[in-house]
Amino acid sequence: MTDFATFAQKIIDELTKEGRKHTAETRKYSANRLLMFMANKPTPMDKWDELFVKDYETWLKAQGLSASTTAYYLSQLCVFYKQAVKRGNIQEQDIFRLVNKTPSPKPAVQQFPSIAELRYLQTLNLNKSQDFARDMFLFSLYARGMNYVDMAYLKKSNVKDGMLTYISHTSDNNPAVTIKWDKAMQQIADKYTSDTEYMFPIITKEGNADETEQIKRSRHNAVYNLRSIGKQYKFSVSPTIAMTKDLWRKIMDEVSVSEVI
């Protein structure tokens, strides 16, 4: 019986010792994703079959990942599987026959500001426009990658009993999303007052046919100001609202249980 977590860590350690740090990080990130999938039902590698792989593909898509990114994670799963076969840990079977594990095109490795830069961002003395852009970026990150449209429509009434609950406006038939309302989110919300029911001054005239344009204009300004912050303060990568969901996932993937409890 081959435990995946133990096997994956061995592969990652070997790559690190060989100086292949980038490959080791890629394997670590991919392994963490699979371990999240198996959190409630750990499955030894010798018990993997085509239904297991198909379920993993379905789970990846349910996380909102694109087809190419889903295929990328499946290809990484295949790498671990082939390594286990090569080392004699398991016998090879055609367990990938029901899925597409060939990324086309192969997704570029997304770059993010470092944790140190994110902390530095919080300390900067910025002008009013830059400050608002920073707040929207940080709030989106704290809210697990909430997109700008949903932040625009976020209402004060969405917060109740320490929880934030909202339904995304980006597509139809979205389930309600509920996340913990924490101190950092409250501090940002407290900075803004509005005569409307909305939490942030993005839509300033309710019931106006121009709401979409108000959101587009505000988002454009936020994008511009975040880019200017990145350039002015020499960030390795300028922060963007578009990256917050993947950035939140990356941070969560890198946090170990011992750092949380």
Side-chain angles (χ1 to χ4, degrees):
M1 184 177 294
T2 303
D3 175 69
F4 174 72
T6 303
F7 180 79
Q9 190 59 57
K10 182 178 180 180
I11 296 294
I12 293 166
D13 289 343
E14 290 176 359
L15 290 168
T16 302
K17 289 179 181 178
E18 293 171 5
R20 300 166 63 187
K21 294 183 179 180
H22 176 73
T23 303
E25 282 297 313
T26 299
R27 297 288 184 271
K28 177 182 177 182
Y29 194 74
S30 302
N32 284 341
R33 182 73 67 175
L34 181 60
L35 290 171
M36 288 173 63
F37 163 68
M38 295 195 297
N40 297 322
K41 189 180 179 182
T43 305
M45 295 183 75
D46 54 311
K47 299 297 183 182
W48 291 1
D49 56 19
E50 62 267 28
L51 294 180
F52 171 85
V53 177
K54 186 64 179 177
D55 285 345
Y56 183 44
E57 180 190 51
T58 301
W59 180 83
L60 288 169
K61 291 179 178 178
Q63 305 306 301
L65 302 181
S66 67
S68 60
T69 303
T70 296
Y72 171 74
Y73 279 116
L74 290 172
S75 71
Q76 290 293 305
L77 175 64
C78 186
V79 170
F80 282 117
Y81 185 77
K82 293 291 187 182
Q83 283 285 340
V85 170
K86 183 178 180 180
R87 298 177 185 217
N89 296 81
I90 57 177
Q91 291 187 343
E92 185 171 15
Q93 299 181 52
D94 187 15
I95 67 172
F96 295 92
R97 64 186 182 85
L98 300 180
V99 301
N100 173 26
K101 64 179 187 301
T102 305
S104 180
K106 184 177 180 179
V109 177
Q110 190 171 2
Q111 300 296 314
F112 303 103
S114 67
I115 296 297
E117 288 174 324
L118 293 175
R119 290 171 177 162
Y120 178 52
L121 175 64
Q122 295 174 302
T123 69
L124 297 176
N125 184 20
L126 304 172
N127 63 43
K128 184 176 180 180
S129 295
Q130 289 178 329
D131 186 41
F132 182 75
R134 171 179 58 185
D135 283 344
M136 293 302 94
F137 170 79
L138 291 174
F139 187 91
S140 175
L141 182 59
Y142 298 148
R144 304 182 184 181
M146 184 185 294
N147 65 61
Y148 206 85
V149 173
D150 289 335
M151 288 194 292
Y153 284 108
L154 201 62
K155 299 178 180 179
K156 301 160 189 174
S157 59
N158 288 130
V159 180
K160 185 177 181 180
D161 298 328
M163 302 299 292
L164 169 63
T165 302
Y166 71 98
I167 297 176
S168 179
H169 287 72
T170 56
S171 60
D172 296 331
N173 302 318
N174 280 329
V177 178
T178 300
I179 58 179
K180 183 179 179 181
W181 181 259
D182 63 25
K183 181 180 178 180
M185 297 163 77
Q186 185 66 55
Q187 288 175 337
I188 292 175
D190 286 344
K191 291 174 63 175
Y192 301 97
T193 57
S194 173
D195 295 331
T196 71
E197 62 180 333
Y198 299 120
M199 188 173 295
F200 299 115
I202 298 173
I203 299 173
T204 56
K205 297 179 181 179
E206 292 184 88
N208 192 310
D210 192 40
E211 281 185 4
T212 300
E213 287 303 315
Q214 291 182 67
I215 296 171
K216 285 183 178 179
R217 187 162 51 249
S218 178
R219 188 181 190 282
H220 174 80
N221 290 337
V223 169
Y224 172 82
N225 281 290
L226 286 170
R227 187 181 298 118
S228 69
I229 291 171
K231 290 182 179 179
Q232 181 178 348
Y233 294 96
K234 296 180 172 56
F235 279 47
S236 60
V237 179
S238 292
T240 68
I241 302 294
M243 71 168 53
T244 55
K245 179 172 288 188
D246 288 330
L247 176 55
W248 181 83
R249 286 171 174 162
K250 180 176 185 294
I251 293 172
M252 290 300 100
D253 281 347
E254 293 178 350
V255 173
S256 65
V257 175
S258 62
E259 293 178 88
V260 179
I261 60 176

